[in-house]
PDB file of all heavy atoms in Angstrom:
ATOM      1  N   ALA A 161      18.664 148.946 118.619  1.00  0.00           N
ATOM      2  CA  ALA A 161      19.241 148.536 117.493  1.00  0.00           C
ATOM      3  C   ALA A 161      19.823 147.063 117.483  1.00  0.00           C
ATOM      4  O   ALA A 161      19.564 146.403 116.590  1.00  0.00           O
ATOM      5  CB  ALA A 161      20.572 149.492 117.157  1.00  0.00           C
ATOM      6  N   GLN A 162      20.288 146.658 118.564  1.00  0.00           N
ATOM      7  CA  GLN A 162      20.776 145.310 118.757  1.00  0.00           C
ATOM      8  C   GLN A 162      19.605 144.354 118.601  1.00  0.00           C
ATOM      9  O   GLN A 162      19.753 143.275 117.936  1.00  0.00           O
ATOM     10  CB  GLN A 162      21.410 145.105 120.149  1.00  0.00           C
ATOM     11  CG  GLN A 162      21.696 143.728 120.548  1.00  0.00           C
ATOM     12  CD  GLN A 162      22.203 143.571 121.901  1.00  0.00           C
ATOM     13  OE1 GLN A 162      23.316 144.007 122.357  1.00  0.00           O
ATOM     14  NE2 GLN A 162      21.377 143.115 122.850  1.00  0.00           N
ATOM     15  N   SER A 163      18.574 144.710 119.264  1.00  0.00           N
ATOM     16  CA  SER A 163      17.360 143.750 119.183  1.00  0.00           C
ATOM     17  C   SER A 163      16.869 143.654 117.845  1.00  0.00           C
ATOM     18  O   SER A 163      16.405 142.517 117.417  1.00  0.00           O
ATOM     19  CB  SER A 163      16.186 144.197 120.159  1.00  0.00           C
ATOM     20  OG  SER A 163      16.714 144.444 121.418  1.00  0.00           O
ATOM     21  N   GLY A 164      16.876 144.713 117.178  1.00  0.00           N
ATOM     22  CA  GLY A 164      16.403 144.652 115.740  1.00  0.00           C
ATOM     23  C   GLY A 164      17.359 143.889 114.903  1.00  0.00           C
ATOM     24  O   GLY A 164      16.952 143.186 113.861  1.00  0.00           O
ATOM     25  N   SER A 165      18.584 144.024 115.196  1.00  0.00           N
ATOM     26  CA  SER A 165      19.705 143.213 114.423  1.00  0.00           C
ATOM     27  C   SER A 165      19.623 141.702 114.613  1.00  0.00           C
ATOM     28  O   SER A 165      19.838 141.014 113.713  1.00  0.00           O
ATOM     29  CB  SER A 165      20.984 143.851 114.700  1.00  0.00           C
ATOM     30  OG  SER A 165      22.060 142.981 114.189  1.00  0.00           O
ATOM     31  N   LEU A 166      19.265 141.453 115.906  1.00  0.00           N
ATOM     32  CA  LEU A 166      19.336 139.975 116.121  1.00  0.00           C
ATOM     33  C   LEU A 166      17.810 139.354 116.180  1.00  0.00           C
ATOM     34  O   LEU A 166      17.733 138.104 116.587  1.00  0.00           O
ATOM     35  CB  LEU A 166      19.924 139.667 117.636  1.00  0.00           C
ATOM     36  CG  LEU A 166      21.431 140.145 117.608  1.00  0.00           C
ATOM     37  CD1 LEU A 166      21.992 139.983 119.039  1.00  0.00           C
ATOM     38  CD2 LEU A 166      22.256 139.271 116.694  1.00  0.00           C
ATOM     39  N   ASN A 167      16.878 140.147 115.981  1.00  0.00           N
ATOM     40  CA  ASN A 167      15.401 139.602 116.081  1.00  0.00           C
ATOM     41  C   ASN A 167      15.096 138.938 117.355  1.00  0.00           C
ATOM     42  O   ASN A 167      14.364 138.010 117.529  1.00  0.00           O
ATOM     43  CB  ASN A 167      15.336 138.501 114.927  1.00  0.00           C
ATOM     44  CG  ASN A 167      13.875 138.268 114.508  1.00  0.00           C
ATOM     45  OD1 ASN A 167      13.515 137.319 113.896  1.00  0.00           O
ATOM     46  ND2 ASN A 167      12.857 139.033 115.090  1.00  0.00           N
ATOM     47  N   THR A 168      15.574 139.475 118.417  1.00  0.00           N
ATOM     48  CA  THR A 168      15.273 139.038 119.922  1.00  0.00           C
ATOM     49  C   THR A 168      13.772 139.238 120.219  1.00  0.00           C
ATOM     50  O   THR A 168      13.254 140.127 119.737  1.00  0.00           O
ATOM     51  CB  THR A 168      16.351 139.653 120.827  1.00  0.00           C
ATOM     52  OG1 THR A 168      16.213 141.023 120.763  1.00  0.00           O
ATOM     53  CG2 THR A 168      17.725 139.236 120.708  1.00  0.00           C
ATOM     54  N   LEU A 169      13.369 138.260 121.175  1.00  0.00           N
ATOM     55  CA  LEU A 169      11.983 138.453 121.714  1.00  0.00           C
ATOM     56  C   LEU A 169      12.255 138.962 123.075  1.00  0.00           C
ATOM     57  O   LEU A 169      13.218 138.566 123.874  1.00  0.00           O
ATOM     58  CB  LEU A 169      11.495 137.019 121.685  1.00  0.00           C
ATOM     59  CG  LEU A 169      10.641 136.654 120.529  1.00  0.00           C
ATOM     60  CD1 LEU A 169      11.581 136.255 119.386  1.00  0.00           C
ATOM     61  CD2 LEU A 169       9.836 135.365 120.684  1.00  0.00           C
ATOM     62  N   SER A 170      11.331 139.773 123.537  1.00  0.00           N
ATOM     63  CA  SER A 170      11.432 140.327 124.963  1.00  0.00           C
ATOM     64  C   SER A 170       9.936 140.408 125.591  1.00  0.00           C
ATOM     65  O   SER A 170       8.983 140.494 124.810  1.00  0.00           O
ATOM     66  CB  SER A 170      12.173 141.600 124.980  1.00  0.00           C
ATOM     67  OG  SER A 170      11.539 142.535 124.117  1.00  0.00           O
ATOM     68  N   THR A 171       9.947 140.649 126.810  1.00  0.00           N
ATOM     69  CA  THR A 171       8.653 140.922 127.490  1.00  0.00           C
ATOM     70  C   THR A 171       8.780 141.886 128.615  1.00  0.00           C
ATOM     71  O   THR A 171       9.916 142.065 129.120  1.00  0.00           O
ATOM     72  CB  THR A 171       7.847 139.565 127.890  1.00  0.00           C
ATOM     73  OG1 THR A 171       6.732 139.828 128.261  1.00  0.00           O
ATOM     74  CG2 THR A 171       8.740 138.929 129.014  1.00  0.00           C
ATOM     75  N   ASP A 172       7.722 142.507 129.031  1.00  0.00           N
ATOM     76  CA  ASP A 172       8.022 143.469 130.065  1.00  0.00           C
ATOM     77  C   ASP A 172       7.805 143.197 131.438  1.00  0.00           C
ATOM     78  O   ASP A 172       6.938 142.307 131.695  1.00  0.00           O
ATOM     79  CB  ASP A 172       7.092 144.847 129.662  1.00  0.00           C
ATOM     80  CG  ASP A 172       5.772 144.679 129.172  1.00  0.00           C
ATOM     81  OD1 ASP A 172       4.842 144.253 130.094  1.00  0.00           O
ATOM     82  OD2 ASP A 172       5.527 144.556 128.013  1.00  0.00           O
TER      83      ASP A 172
END
Side-chain angles (χ1 to χ4, degrees):
Q162 168 187 289
S163 303
S165 169
L166 297 176
N167 199 190
T168 49
L169 276 66
S170 57
T171 191
D172 39 81

